[in-house]
Amino acid sequence: MINNSFEFSSDDDSDVSPHDMEGNSSDLECGARDMNGLSLNSYSSGLQAQLQRDLDRQHLLSDRPRTGVYENVISEGVEGIEHQERYERLLRRAQVEDLTEVSGIGCLYQSGVDRLGRPVIVFCGKWFPAQNIDLEKALLYLIKLLDPIVKGDYVISYFHTLTSTNNYPSLHWLREVYSVLPYKYKKNLKAFYIVHPTFWTKMMTWWFTTFMAPAIKAKVHSLPGVEHLYSAITKDQLEIPAYITEYDMATNGLHYFNPVPTAS
């Protein structure tokens, strides 16, 4: 069962995107604003209706007897305990099971640290065979790799370079992964960079962070090229496959961005 109770407000200390510092509007906002020329005004009325329903529900809850409120608190506490126990079971499995099927692919790994000394996690979308891999083992490997890292601040760089539909996991699976991971994963994530995004990734990212993962929405930044990352991560700390740099040079050319280290 998917637990949706662990969505929190975004932290105020999320990093400023190197791309945002150029004075351009957010790629997520651009993608949300322009859906193949379709204005998102049609979404506005739906969101307003949802907000009104939430307010009505809140009024109804406030009219309930106090015993009902206490029962809700107890229920949420039990769910939190169950959520933690589930994660701990997955962590124990991750530490003992053979996960070479996933680790051998090389799509997820730590690559140095950023300019503030925070671990950088790299995910190469093209190398993730979402349709031909045991997704449960993929989740276990994710937990095994990240659990010791997320005790402190960290950043993720996702490279969407040359991916195809065979590399896209289902939204159901993404939502389940997000709900399984404890709060420390969201809280200590300081930036999630998406490099070489497409219109599809911009729209799906906007939708996912708006309706499923609002806790990390302010931390997600879409970057058109690898060199934009150098404001936050020095080149010698970013180990990425050759196909990514080759695509980047073919698409953007050489020395197209002069990185300015972020002050965050």
Side-chain angles (χ1 to χ4, degrees), residues 123-133 135 138 158-175 194-205 247:
F123 180 56
C124 304
K126 183 181 182 229
W127 287 356
F128 182 64
Q131 311 303 320
N132 300 296
I133 194 174
L135 290 177
Y158 165 61
F159 293 88
H160 192 66
T161 318
L162 298 175
T163 59
S164 67
T165 54
N166 292 328
N167 306 121
Y168 304 159
S170 69
L171 280 174
H172 172 79
W173 184 75
L174 290 176
R175 183 173 183 175
I194 302 176
V195 183
H196 298 143
T198 61
F199 178 79
W200 182 89
T201 57
K202 292 177 184 178
M203 286 307 306
M204 294 308 296
T205 302
Y247 173 88

Side-chain angles (χ1 to χ4, degrees), residues 133-186:
I133 194 174
D134 186 332
L135 290 177
E136 185 173 13
K137 286 193 173 184
L139 172 58
L140 292 177
Y141 179 69
L142 173 70
I143 291 174
K144 180 178 181 179
L145 176 68
L146 291 186
D147 185 77
I149 294 174
V150 301
K151 295 175 183 178
D153 296 347
Y154 70 106
V155 300
I156 294 178
S157 295
Y158 165 61
F159 293 88
H160 192 66
T161 318
L162 298 175
T163 59
S164 67
T165 54
N166 292 328
N167 306 121
Y168 304 159
S170 69
L171 280 174
H172 172 79
W173 184 75
L174 290 176
R175 183 173 183 175
E176 183 168 5
V177 169
Y178 185 81
S179 68
V180 163
L181 301 179
Y183 177 50
K184 62 183 179 180
Y185 279 78
K186 295 94 168 178

Side-chain angles (χ1 to χ4, degrees), residues 43-54:
Y43 287 88
S44 178
S45 59
L47 292 175
Q48 290 176 1
Q50 180 62 47
L51 177 59
Q52 186 60 51
R53 286 194 294 271
D54 291 342

Side-chain angles (χ1 to χ4, degrees), residues 11 19 36-37 72 74 99 104-105 124-125 133 144 148 175 183 193 199 205 207-208 213 219 224 241 243 247 255:
D11 297 296
H19 190 41
N36 281 337
N72 287 339
I74 294 173
L99 303 177
I105 297 173
C124 304
I133 194 174
K144 180 178 181 179
R175 183 173 183 175
Y183 177 50
Y193 302 111
F199 178 79
T205 302
W207 188 87
F208 183 79
K219 305 178 183 185
Y243 81 87
Y247 173 88
H255 310 300

